[in-house]
Amino acid sequence: MQTSMRGSVSDLSADLSADLSADLSADLSADLSADLSADLTSGSVDSSLSNAVSEDNWIRLGSSDDAAAATPAALSLDNRGLAYADGFFTTMGVIDGQILWSKYHLQRLDSHADALQLALDSQELLAILQEHAKQLQQGMLKLVVTRAAQGIRGYGYSPNAAGSACEIWLKASAMTVATAETLRLADGCFIPLQPSSAAICLTSQLACLPLPLAGLKSLNRLDNVLASGELQRIKAQASSPNSVQADSLENTHSQTSAESTISEGLLRDMSGHWVEGTMSNVFYQLSELPHSPGSNNTSAINSNNANGNKYNADYLGTGQWYTPSMAQSGVAGVMRQVLIDELSTSKNPVIIRSLSDEDLPRITQLFFCNALRGIMPMNSLTLLSGEVVGF
């Protein structure tokens, strides 16, 4: 099975962890220390590694023309990633000293550097990351690339080599993850398959962006920050015994099993199309006709729950899967592309298709995915109206 992650030390690690994790990439650092231990596994994260994870810090790999020397360094307040979100990031799982989906992360390095006009030797950088992965063995590598400080004041950057120079930051987190189930791909690789859970439509919206920014995993993730905050409030309300909203959510989900908990939120963009989750991409299947009004499709839910989340080994190859376009909003994720490529030669290649309000009652299968958690199947989706569509 493929996967990867780990790190080293810097005086300004507290600021970098807090600022870059919370403000620039919100759902990735905190989620992987807290959420991942619950959601990424049907087992658990090794508790003996908890201190190692909390003590991990950032190191600077150097500018784009000197990426080989990893040295502790302070983050300047003039850093353009901090000031303008001028850069991008990627998060890589590591298993047995190997970076999971390294080919796809390399594609991200190339495409993002090209889109943002950054001079980056992706092959050399990936080789350095592989060395860190060997040291880490099990865990997560998080890479942040920002444009180097500029002599020009403000947003602009120099129309020469200095304008495309980079600062490259890396954090490695030791983490042992056990996943009870996996899906085997045609090339022999494995994708983690998480226990089924529930999703909910959120009122937060994603920004619509022009090319070449749409689809990038840029440092500007404020729409995801606010959406993740909304999802956390919903989770907190659902777990509070004294909350009126908790009672409402409990009644809404009474048709699902007691094991069904909300784990992800579905987000729409400013054009009204449903695009992705707060930290993941989404795939779905549709019925020919919508469910009858007021139907929660509880038989499908009960069937899923009765099977204890034992999905068919050909889960991905059965039926027609759709995924929304990333042409104007969202992040074109690594796992999303892995799955599109995997099914490209099957009898039902993935179809890129917008997901509208009218489609939601017609969904018969739904899962979220990302490169760290793999596939996260859903057994129900709560609509904005409060209606529950079961799968």
Side-chain angles (χ1 to χ4, degrees):
M1 169 182 162
Q2 285 198 353
T3 44
S4 34
M5 312 151 207
R6 171 171 164 138
S8 48
V9 179
S10 154
D11 283 341
L12 211 67
S13 60
D15 290 312
L16 203 64
S17 270
D19 291 347
L20 276 173
S21 262
D23 288 305
L24 299 181
S25 60
D27 55 314
L28 284 163
S29 243
D31 279 353
L32 274 165
S33 294
D35 275 331
L36 196 71
S37 59
D39 294 321
L40 181 61
T41 81
S42 51
S44 63
V45 174
D46 188 347
S47 61
S48 67
L49 293 176
S50 60
N51 289 336
V53 172
S54 65
E55 291 171 5
D56 287 346
N57 295 303
W58 292 86
I59 58 170
R60 181 176 172 180
L61 297 183
S63 61
S64 57
D65 60 353
D66 185 26
T71 57
L75 176 69
S76 167
L77 293 180
D78 290 326
N79 178 276
R80 290 179 63 92
L82 181 62
Y84 309 126
D86 186 1
F88 68 93
F89 70 99
T90 193
T91 308
M92 298 155 280
V94 177
I95 286 184
D96 296 331
Q98 296 296 314
I99 295 176
L100 295 174
W101 322 115
S102 59
K103 178 181 74 172
Y104 291 90
H105 286 289
L106 180 63
Q107 292 174 0
R108 171 172 282 169
L109 294 177
D110 286 332
S111 64
H112 285 40
D114 182 63
L116 299 179
Q117 301 175 32
L118 297 171
L120 190 69
D121 187 332
S122 59
Q123 294 284 353
E124 181 184 5
L125 178 56
L126 184 61
I128 295 170
L129 294 174
Q130 291 283 17
E131 289 302 313
H132 284 275
K134 288 179 183 177
Q135 297 175 32
L136 180 61
Q137 280 298 304
Q138 305 283 335
M140 175 191 74
L141 293 177
K142 181 170 178 179
L143 184 78
V144 174
V145 179
T146 68
R147 194 182 311 277
Q150 299 292 298
I152 297 175
R153 182 175 178 178
Y155 299 129
Y157 54 93
S158 303
N160 52 36
S164 58
C166 302
E167 290 183 11
I168 305 172
W169 302 85
L170 178 67
K171 179 181 180 181
S173 299
M175 191 180 299
T176 300
V177 179
T179 302
E181 297 187 55
T182 58
L183 290 178
R184 185 185 183 95
L185 302 184
D187 62 3
C189 297
F190 291 88
I191 297 178
L193 179 65
Q194 305 306 329
S196 67
S197 55
I200 188 168
C201 292
L202 300 178
T203 59
S204 300
Q205 291 180 287
L206 296 168
C208 291
L209 299 171
L211 291 174
L213 299 179
L216 295 189
K217 202 175 184 75
S218 75
L219 294 177
N220 186 351
R221 303 259 57 88
L222 287 178
D223 40 9
N224 295 89
V225 169
L226 296 178
S228 296
E230 180 184 355
L231 180 61
Q232 292 306 314
R233 287 193 296 274
I234 290 172
K235 288 181 178 181
Q237 290 165 357
S239 63
S240 172
N242 299 320
S243 169
V244 174
Q245 284 133 318
D247 292 338
S248 176
L249 279 171
E250 184 178 348
N251 292 333
T252 299
H253 291 281
S254 60
Q255 300 295 335
T256 68
S257 76
E259 300 173 359
S260 179
T261 56
I262 296 173
S263 66
E264 182 57 299
L266 186 62
L267 291 170
R268 55 185 170 169
D269 64 19
M270 298 301 291
S271 70
H273 292 113
W274 298 93
V275 178
E276 63 181 8
T278 63
M279 57 176 180
S280 56
N281 291 120
V282 65
F283 286 72
Y284 62 96
Q285 294 185 358
L286 294 172
S287 65
E288 290 292 325
L289 298 171
H291 303 311
S292 58
S295 171
N296 285 344
N297 197 20
T298 56
S299 61
I301 297 176
N302 294 334
S303 174
N304 254 354
N305 291 333
N307 291 332
N309 192 37
K310 296 294 183 183
Y311 285 86
N312 189 301
D314 197 27
Y315 175 62
L316 290 176
T318 303
Q320 179 61 64
W321 291 103
Y322 304 95
T323 192
S325 169
M326 301 287 109
Q328 69 174 15
S329 59
V331 172
V334 162
M335 185 54 60
R336 175 181 182 270
Q337 194 59 51
V338 168
L339 296 176
I340 289 174
D341 290 350
E342 168 68 14
L343 295 176
S344 63
T345 57
S346 71
K347 64 179 181 180
N348 292 313
V350 175
I351 294 176
I352 309 299
R353 179 188 182 279
S354 295
L355 181 61
S356 66
D357 287 340
E358 293 73 22
D359 293 324
L360 298 184
R362 298 172 52 207
I363 294 177
T364 57
Q365 291 282 6
L366 177 75
F367 70 81
F368 294 93
C369 65
N370 64 34
L372 291 162
R373 301 186 184 188
I375 292 174
M376 298 169 273
M378 298 294 125
N379 53 40
S380 68
L381 174 67
T382 301
L383 309 186
L384 292 176
S385 64
E387 178 187 357
V388 177
V389 179
F391 319 125

